[in-house]
Amino acid sequence: MGSEPSARIETVLQEERVFEPSQFVRKEASISGIDHYLKIIDSAKAHPERFWQEEALKELHWFKPFESVLDWSNPPFARWFDGGKTNVSYNCLDRHINNGKGEKVAIIWEGEPGDVRRITYKELFEEVCKTANALKDLGIKKGDLVALYMPMVPEAAIAMLACARIGAPHSVVFGGFSSEALRDRLIDGQAKVVITADGGFRKDKIISLKDAVDTALEDNSCPTVKSVLVVKRTNESVSFNAGRDYWWHELIPSQSKECPAEHMDSEDRLFVLYTSGSTGKPKGVVHTTSGYNLWAHLTFKWIFDVQDNEVYWCTADVGWITGHSYIVYGPLSNGSTTFMYEGVPRPSKPGAFWEIIQKHKINIFYTAPTAIRAFMKSGRSIPDNYDLSSLRLLGTVGEPINPEAWMWYREVIGRDNCPIVDTWWQTETGGVMISPIPTAVSTKPGSATMPLPGIEVDVVNAEGESVETDQGGYLVIKRPWPGMMRTIHGNSKRFRETYWEYLKPRDGELVYFAGDGARRDKDGYYWIMGRVDDVINVSGHRLGTMEIESALVSHPFVAEAAVVGRPDELKGEAIVAFVTLESGKEFSEDLLIILKSHVVQEIGAIARPEEIRFTNALPKTRSGKIMRRLLRSLASGEEVKGDTSTLEDRNVLDELRK
Ligand code: WT7
């Protein structure tokens, strides 16, 4: 590995506050209290396969029941529910309509300029069928990959479900990524169609999505892409390429409102979603049909337990896994009402979220710690101006939440009245893995508490041995679960090496290594301590340091670059780059700006370095590895501690200190 991960595992402060589970008034709670919870945990532990079998039969619709629950004969490649036939869009739409819920609102959407749409299950079903038929007209067949590069509009969810309906895996690319990043993902996935919009509203600007698609496709650089379907959203003028580009509003409305759901095999791909790792280019995480559907469905039901009259809001973007599992698939598979918002809070609209909660009477609110910290900073007087009394449950996801932010969230937004669910998971896990069940598990500020039923986790050292209570170590998952990623698109070797062979296997058993450090306390509660690999988490967005380094060195003036995360009060981590220049090139303020925009162009605005430091040399070991640990200390203004004896040239450190 390129750096020394264990250096970052250190014990965090003890947190002694405990909050008792909440007793919601419920006719039928999905998990009604501690006894019920323990019963489920125990039965999942005693007979895991029977447990998953029962849940899969109870919670999903099957055109044909499965023959086996789990095939783990070729680890780390799992097969779940083999022999079964189902369809995720059927589970999200048809079965609710067949249950008399056709008139229930599936999606409430509020656009950035304040326009609102309410879409019932019946209407959503018809839109999905029409879009599915249009995709077929564009030549899309089962197994073909469809890419989405969309703003947060209902058409994004419609397109995802339409793909699922006809068995075309989707690959959603976050609209904030650059055309370069989009191109890489289109090429890697061999996408046949791109669904996009003329533009999207982002903060107070309009981003030109269609232009970015045009740039990505220039010079026939993605030869597999035959058509581009464009939603009209901002009325930007866009160039149109006849024979390749189609307007959504011209192609979709005339389609038939019926499109039978394809009978999919359990292990057929549902989607590919790219995420950053510690080496090389982003990897396409593959999720398949039944296992993913079951996991998104069950976790949503267990944790949020949304009642028929309730409105649930997750503030993520559909471009991330949180949007996939907890805006689209989890809520819709459960027949819930999911709220979707096109915008984000910002200085010009600081009360945007609270206004929405008041206006749409949101009951369950799920957001990221970075947003909470930003709200804290602008003061409680803003949320205090709104009626937030509809809220009954608050969730967080994406990064560790510090106890102060947790307490503020509880007191100011939840008025001491709403439990907080801190949910730990990843793109790779498909759904939440560690989280309190609000009716059953006491919470402690800053802890994601305990693994969900059926999930077995541990904290181990580099030898794969469990560490003692309160000792830091690597967080691992010890058994396969239905929502686990199946492989990396086109690179099963990397899948095995990154997740299953990073740590030494114990007794020949493969365990999944998540990339995070953690500690388990005396009550069995887990405290996530952040990434221990070369991945950084900036405002809940995951970025590979090497990805940013390659973006920097792709600039002709840059010889070498090393990127590290520096702790940041608001963003969690901020990106700091150390750069050496090609000989004959000079450091300058202008070059600094140029290099920052170069990274934005290569990856997207989320990867813009906060700081770039020019240096004559980078600290390296004798074998040529960059010593990121030293750079991390320098970037955070800490004293460089620990062993520096492997440093090849000690003068480098002295120079950097200056
Ligand atoms: C990484 C996964 C899961 C959806 C959003 C991010 C960090 C996520 C928590 C949490 C501490 C968390 C981890 C993880 N993370 N949730 N509740 N507490 N850390 O998905 O982009 O795949 O990133 O986010 O470091 O490995 P992702």
Coordinates of all heavy atoms in Angstrom, one line a residue, residues 275 320-322 396-401 422-428 448 514-516 528 530-531 537 540-542, ligand 1:
T275 N -17.3 4.8 -7.6 CA -16.9 5.4 -6.3 C -15.4 5.4 -6.3 O -14.7 4.6 -7.0 CB -17.5 4.7 -5.1 OG1 -17.3 5.5 -3.9 CG2 -16.9 3.3 -4.9
W320 N -25.5 9.6 -5.8 CA -24.8 8.9 -4.8 C -25.6 7.7 -4.4 O -26.8 7.7 -4.6 CB -24.5 9.7 -3.6 CG -23.8 11.1 -3.9 CD1 -24.4 12.3 -3.7 CD2 -22.6 11.3 -4.5 NE1 -23.5 13.3 -4.1 CE2 -22.4 12.7 -4.6 CE3 -21.5 10.5 -5.0 CZ2 -21.3 13.3 -5.1 CZ3 -20.4 11.1 -5.5 CH2 -20.3 12.5 -5.6
I321 N -25.0 6.7 -3.7 CA -25.7 5.5 -3.3 C -26.8 5.9 -2.3 O -27.9 5.3 -2.3 CB -24.7 4.5 -2.6 CG1 -25.4 3.2 -2.4 CG2 -24.2 5.0 -1.3 CD1 -25.7 2.4 -3.6
T322 N -26.7 7.0 -1.5 CA -27.7 7.3 -0.6 C -29.0 7.7 -1.4 O -30.1 7.3 -1.0 CB -27.3 8.5 0.3 OG1 -26.0 8.3 0.8 CG2 -28.3 8.7 1.4
T396 N -28.5 10.7 10.1 CA -27.3 11.3 9.5 C -26.6 10.2 8.8 O -26.7 9.0 9.1 CB -26.4 11.9 10.5 OG1 -25.6 10.9 11.1 CG2 -27.1 12.7 11.5
V397 N -25.8 10.6 7.8 CA -25.1 9.6 7.0 C -23.9 10.3 6.2 O -24.0 11.5 5.9 CB -26.0 9.0 5.9 CG1 -26.7 10.0 5.0 CG2 -25.2 8.0 5.0
G398 N -22.9 9.5 6.0 CA -21.8 10.0 5.1 C -20.5 10.2 5.7 O -19.5 10.1 5.0
E399 N -20.4 10.5 7.0 CA -19.2 10.8 7.6 C -19.4 10.7 9.1 O -20.6 10.8 9.6 CB -18.6 12.2 7.3 CG -19.7 13.1 7.0 CD -19.4 14.6 6.8 OE1 -18.3 15.0 7.1 OE2 -20.3 15.3 6.5
P400 N -18.3 10.6 9.9 CA -18.5 10.6 11.3 C -19.2 11.9 11.8 O -18.9 13.0 11.2 CB -17.1 10.5 11.9 CG -16.3 10.0 10.7 CD -16.9 10.5 9.5
I401 N -20.1 11.8 12.7 CA -20.7 13.0 13.3 C -20.1 13.3 14.6 O -20.0 12.4 15.5 CB -22.3 13.0 13.3 CG1 -22.8 14.3 13.9 CG2 -22.8 11.8 14.0 CD1 -24.3 14.5 13.6
D422 N -27.7 7.6 13.5 CA -26.4 7.8 12.8 C -26.2 6.5 12.0 O -25.9 5.4 12.6 CB -25.3 8.1 13.8 CG -24.0 8.1 13.2 OD1 -23.8 8.0 12.0 OD2 -23.0 8.3 14.0
T423 N -26.3 6.5 10.7 CA -26.2 5.3 9.9 C -24.9 5.1 9.2 O -24.5 6.0 8.4 CB -27.3 5.3 8.8 OG1 -27.1 6.4 8.0 CG2 -28.7 5.4 9.5
W424 N -24.1 4.1 9.5 CA -22.9 3.8 8.8 C -23.1 2.8 7.7 O -23.6 1.7 7.9 CB -21.8 3.3 9.8 CG -20.6 3.0 9.1 CD1 -19.6 3.8 8.7 CD2 -20.2 1.7 8.5 NE1 -18.6 3.2 8.0 CE2 -19.0 1.9 7.8 CE3 -20.8 0.5 8.4 CZ2 -18.3 0.9 7.1 CZ3 -20.2 -0.6 7.7 CH2 -18.9 -0.4 7.1
W425 N -22.6 3.2 6.5 CA -22.6 2.2 5.4 C -21.8 2.8 4.3 O -21.1 3.9 4.5 CB -24.0 1.9 5.0 CG -24.9 3.0 4.6 CD1 -25.3 4.1 5.3 CD2 -25.4 3.3 3.3 NE1 -26.1 4.9 4.6 CE2 -26.2 4.5 3.3 CE3 -25.4 2.5 2.1 CZ2 -26.9 5.0 2.2 CZ3 -26.1 3.0 1.0 CH2 -26.8 4.2 1.0
Q426 N -21.8 2.2 3.1 CA -21.0 2.6 2.0 C -21.6 2.2 0.7 O -22.5 1.4 0.7 CB -19.6 1.9 2.0 CG -19.0 1.6 3.3 CD -17.7 0.8 3.2 OE1 -17.8 -0.4 2.9 NE2 -16.6 1.5 3.3
T427 N -21.1 2.8 -0.4 CA -21.6 2.5 -1.7 C -21.6 0.9 -1.9 O -22.5 0.3 -2.4 CB -20.7 3.1 -2.8 OG1 -20.6 4.5 -2.6 CG2 -21.2 2.9 -4.2
E428 N -20.5 0.3 -1.4 CA -20.3 -1.1 -1.6 C -21.3 -1.9 -0.8 O -21.5 -3.1 -1.1 CB -18.9 -1.4 -1.1 CG -17.8 -0.9 -1.9 CD -17.3 0.5 -1.5 OE1 -18.1 1.2 -0.8 OE2 -16.2 0.9 -1.9
A448 N -22.5 5.2 15.8 CA -23.6 4.6 15.0 C -24.2 3.4 15.7 O -25.1 2.7 15.1 CB -22.9 4.2 13.6
A514 N -13.7 -2.6 5.1 CA -14.5 -1.5 4.7 C -13.7 -0.3 4.3 O -14.1 0.7 3.7 CB -15.6 -1.1 5.7
G515 N -12.4 -0.2 4.8 CA -11.6 1.0 4.6 C -11.7 2.0 5.8 O -11.1 3.0 5.7
D516 N -12.5 1.7 6.8 CA -12.7 2.6 7.9 C -12.0 2.0 9.2 O -11.9 0.8 9.3 CB -14.2 2.7 8.3 CG -14.9 3.7 7.3 OD1 -14.4 4.8 7.1 OD2 -15.9 3.3 6.7
I528 N -17.2 5.0 14.6 CA -16.4 5.0 13.4 C -15.4 6.1 13.4 O -15.7 7.3 13.8 CB -17.4 5.2 12.2 CG1 -18.6 4.3 12.3 CG2 -16.6 5.0 10.9 CD1 -18.3 2.8 12.1
G530 N -13.3 7.0 10.7 CA -12.9 7.6 9.4 C -12.0 6.6 8.6 O -11.6 5.6 9.1
R531 N -11.7 7.0 7.4 CA -11.0 6.2 6.5 C -9.6 6.0 7.0 O -8.9 6.9 7.5 CB -11.0 6.8 5.1 CG -12.3 7.1 4.5 CD -13.1 5.9 4.1 NE -12.4 5.0 3.2 CZ -13.0 4.1 2.4 NH1 -14.4 4.0 2.5 NH2 -12.4 3.3 1.7
N537 N -12.7 12.2 2.8 CA -14.1 12.4 2.9 C -14.4 13.9 3.1 O -14.2 14.5 4.1 CB -14.7 11.6 4.0 CG -16.2 11.6 4.0 OD1 -16.9 12.5 3.5 ND2 -16.8 10.4 4.4
G540 N -18.8 14.8 3.2 CA -19.5 13.6 2.9 C -19.3 13.0 1.5 O -19.9 12.0 1.1
H541 N -18.5 13.7 0.7 CA -18.1 13.2 -0.6 C -16.8 12.4 -0.6 O -15.8 12.9 0.0 CB -18.0 14.3 -1.7 CG -19.3 15.0 -1.9 ND1 -20.5 14.4 -2.0 CD2 -19.6 16.3 -2.0 CE1 -21.5 15.2 -2.1 NE2 -21.0 16.4 -2.1
R542 N -16.8 11.3 -1.2 CA -15.6 10.4 -1.1 C -14.7 10.6 -2.3 O -15.1 10.6 -3.4 CB -16.2 9.0 -1.0 CG -15.2 7.9 -1.1 CD -16.0 6.7 -0.8 NE -15.3 5.5 -1.2 CZ -15.8 4.3 -1.1 NH1 -17.0 4.1 -0.7 NH2 -15.1 3.3 -1.5
Ligands
WT7_1 C1 -17.7 6.1 3.6 C2 -18.6 5.6 2.4 C3 -23.1 5.7 2.9 C4 -23.6 6.6 2.0 C5 -22.8 7.9 1.9 C6 -21.3 7.7 1.6 C7 -18.1 7.2 5.6 C8 -20.6 6.9 5.8 C9 -20.8 7.2 8.0 C10 -21.2 7.3 9.3 C11 -19.0 7.6 9.9 C12 -19.4 7.3 7.7 C13 -17.2 6.0 5.8 C14 -17.5 5.1 4.7 N1 -19.3 7.1 6.3 N2 -21.5 6.9 6.8 N3 -22.5 7.3 9.7 N4 -20.2 7.5 10.3 N5 -18.5 7.5 8.6 O1 -21.1 6.6 0.8 O2 -19.4 7.5 -0.7 O3 -19.6 5.1 -0.4 O4 -18.6 6.6 1.4 O5 -18.4 7.2 4.2 O6 -15.9 6.4 5.8 O7 -16.5 4.2 4.4 P1 -19.7 6.4 0.2

